[in-house]
Amino acid sequence: MVSEWRRLKLREAGVTLIDCDHRTPQAADEGYPYVAIPQMKAGRLDLKGARKISQQHFFEWRKKAKPIPNDIVLSRRCNPGETALVTADCEFALGQNLVLLRADGERLHRPFLRWLVRGPEWWEQIGKFLNVGAVFDSLRCADVPNFEVSVPPLSEQRAIAHVLGTLDEKIELNRRMNETLEAMARALFKSWFVDFDPVRAKAEGRDPGVPQPLADLFPDSFEDSELSEIPKGWRVGSILEIARLMSGGTPKTDRPEYWNGGIPWASAKDVSQASDLFLVDTERTITRLGVDESATQVLPKFCTAIVARGATTGRMAVFGSPMAMNQTCYGLVSSTATPLALYCHLSHEIDGLVRGAHGSVFDTITTSTFASSKVVLPRTSALEAFERQVEPLFRRLLSNVNESRTLATLRDAQLPKLISGELRIEDTKRILAGANA
């Protein structure tokens, strides 16, 4: 019964706030992840882009705040109220403006806390206690334990956490599968076009490790180039010799007929926050008229978008459907009908492109960044063969992304109903059955 639910402050529910170390450790080339606000994405921590710190700093920063599984990372600034779950396989040092929330398990089932801090009541409390600042809004550590939330009996907490957790586990399984699929594609690209394994094997009289029709596409010797030794008959050139560089634009914001249409409109934020390789959804959409009467243009499915400026310069995503974009991004469209090979090529080269980009505040990639690039350009026949090999992997990856999007929509729709008591335990089997359908 909902009447059994209790309205409690977080501290009364046994939730402790653990503050961060209010310093920033020196970055290291290698080491342990130091989590900051950009690593918080859709309720999870993405450590791929986290800065590295030394082992000494790692242990020193964790003396004050050592995350354990089922802790919640809470952002107090920039995006105050956003949260992310600490999983069992996630070891990191906590960055500034972040705190940990930890339930003791007596009144609050620890896995239930992650859902409690994502519901409507949570955001009501954020609005109530938010300190509006001249530059950033923020939350005070002293206020957070006073947040009031409705707490169901432990049995219902466990049931709710099970339902929502099951949906989330399906999403996480897809994410891990996608990491594996992308890693397989990148590994094959590296073998063929970076390490030149088939060419090296043929040059040494060994089995190239690929079927004969594929082996015939690779040379059997090397020659010198301005970069290094490369397969004979291949050459060094600009990325723009195998791709068209496309720019974006923004329809006039005071023209409502340009907005909320059926065309996704990608921004640097959308590209940077894409949780998988593919971008399938954008924060804003535009109309066909908005495209026709502005500088933006619709780019094809499988186009690679790259953030051109700002704090996330160099972040990439592949369009999962035709999309437009704004001027913070560039789109690269393969001119050899091998868009997935182009993405893998750009993934390998992007660090060098960003290192060559300079700006007064942030690195900025420009047209000349791509035009002046020097990369190894294989024969088109080899790129086409690679495309045929990896296309099934990428299509499976995109299917997983779309499935996860559907599951996330279901999860997010049920979350407020479950933690408010609108949906009861007996409804949970129906929800899970729908997810498995």
Side-chain angles (χ1 to χ4, degrees):
M1 298 291 291
V2 176
S3 59
E4 299 173 359
W5 294 30
R6 300 180 62 187
R7 183 84 171 171
L8 298 174
K9 294 181 179 179
L10 287 179
R11 64 159 54 93
E12 295 171 340
V15 176
T16 302
L17 183 146
I18 304 170
D19 199 4
C20 64
D21 194 324
H22 291 269
R23 301 174 294 159
T24 300
Q26 182 178 353
D29 292 334
E30 296 182 355
Y32 295 83
Y34 175 82
V35 163
I37 292 171
Q39 276 69 63
M40 301 175 66
K41 297 180 180 179
R44 290 192 170 271
L45 294 174
D46 183 357
L47 302 186
K48 286 187 292 186
R51 65 185 296 188
K52 298 292 192 295
I53 61 175
S54 68
Q55 184 181 57
Q56 177 184 347
H57 282 147
F58 178 73
F59 288 115
E60 184 178 349
W61 257 250
R62 282 164 59 97
K63 288 178 182 178
K64 184 175 182 181
K66 182 179 180 179
I68 62 175
N70 289 312
D71 279 356
I72 300 300
V73 177
L74 166 65
S75 174
R76 295 194 304 107
R77 200 176 178 193
C78 296
N79 54 351
E82 291 293 335
T83 57
L85 174 71
V86 178
T87 56
D89 59 349
C90 193
E91 280 203 331
F92 60 93
L94 194 67
Q96 288 207 57
N97 300 312
L98 301 178
V99 299
L100 297 175
L101 298 179
R102 180 176 298 164
D104 63 14
E106 293 186 13
R107 292 189 176 182
L108 205 63
H109 182 49
R110 297 197 67 228
F112 179 71
L113 179 59
R114 67 179 293 198
W115 307 113
L116 195 62
V117 298
R118 294 177 63 177
E121 286 188 340
W122 173 257
W123 289 106
E124 289 173 5
Q125 295 298 298
I126 297 298
K128 177 180 177 180
F129 287 98
L130 190 65
N131 295 289
V132 179
V135 180
F136 296 110
D137 296 341
S138 63
L139 297 169
R140 295 194 312 140
C141 287
D143 289 335
V144 176
N146 292 321
F147 284 16
E148 291 186 341
V149 290
S150 297
V151 179
L154 281 169
S155 60
E156 295 215 22
Q157 292 180 39
R158 294 189 184 97
I160 293 169
H162 172 68
V163 172
L164 297 175
T166 299
L167 294 173
D168 215 54
E169 285 169 6
K170 289 177 176 287
I171 295 170
E172 177 63 11
L173 180 62
N174 281 345
R175 186 190 68 80
R176 291 179 181 273
M177 185 184 299
N178 284 355
E179 283 186 346
T180 300
L181 293 171
E182 184 179 356
M184 290 169 61
R186 288 193 184 195
L188 184 62
F189 183 89
K190 185 175 184 294
S191 174
W192 285 14
F193 303 122
V194 178
D195 298 332
F196 312 127
D197 289 336
V199 180
R200 206 169 300 282
K202 291 176 70 173
E204 296 171 358
R206 295 184 287 107
D207 182 353
V210 296
Q212 191 60 46
L214 286 178
D216 292 341
L217 301 176
F218 293 90
D220 59 5
S221 61
F222 292 88
E223 60 186 8
D224 291 332
S225 76
E226 59 185 290
L227 290 182
S228 61
E229 195 177 58
I230 64 172
K232 188 174 182 179
W234 295 11
R235 59 193 179 86
V236 172
S238 160
I239 285 175
L240 297 188
E241 294 185 49
I242 57 172
R244 290 182 289 121
L245 188 65
M246 314 292 282
S247 58
T250 302
K252 291 182 179 180
T253 56
D254 60 352
R255 297 284 297 274
E257 64 269 28
Y258 291 166
W259 298 94
N260 302 315
I263 301 172
W265 183 71
S267 66
K269 179 181 178 182
D270 294 316
V271 173
S272 300
Q273 294 184 351
S275 57
D276 287 285
L277 178 155
F278 280 103
L279 179 63
V280 297
D281 198 14
T282 57
E283 187 174 357
R284 304 188 71 181
T285 61
I286 58 176
T287 63
R288 183 71 247 182
L289 185 64
V291 173
D292 294 340
E293 298 188 1
S294 73
T296 194
Q297 50 197 318
V298 177
L299 304 181
K301 181 179 179 179
F302 293 160
C303 167
T304 296
I306 300 180
V307 177
R309 59 182 67 88
T312 58
T313 297
R315 294 280 181 87
M316 300 194 307
V318 177
F319 286 171
S321 64
M323 293 187 183
M325 63 185 183
N326 71 10
Q327 59 271 24
T328 62
C329 301
Y330 281 114
L332 285 104
V333 179
S334 172
S335 54
T336 58
T338 55
L340 304 176
L342 176 62
Y343 167 77
C344 292
H345 206 152
L346 290 166
S347 297
H348 177 70
E349 301 292 344
I350 192 62
D351 288 344
L353 291 173
V354 173
R355 283 196 299 271
H358 301 287
S360 57
V361 179
F362 295 110
D363 290 337
T364 302
I365 295 176
T366 65
T367 303
S368 62
T369 305
F370 296 101
S372 62
S373 61
K374 297 292 184 182
V375 299
V376 177
L377 301 176
R379 290 172 177 162
T380 300
S381 58
L383 289 174
E384 291 172 342
F386 175 82
E387 191 82 6
R388 291 192 294 271
Q389 294 292 311
V390 301
E391 185 175 2
L393 302 181
F394 279 85
R395 291 196 179 278
R396 175 65 183 277
L397 199 156
L398 179 56
S399 175
N400 289 341
V401 171
N402 285 322
E403 181 185 54
S404 292
R405 181 188 181 195
T406 300
L407 291 171
T409 299
L410 175 62
R411 178 200 62 198
D412 295 343
Q414 304 306 325
L415 188 155
K417 297 178 181 180
L418 285 167
I419 64 175
S420 68
E422 182 181 341
L423 278 178
R424 307 310 310 280
I425 294 176
E426 53 268 23
D427 297 314
T428 61
K429 292 182 179 179
R430 176 181 55 79
I431 297 171
L432 292 180
N436 292 320

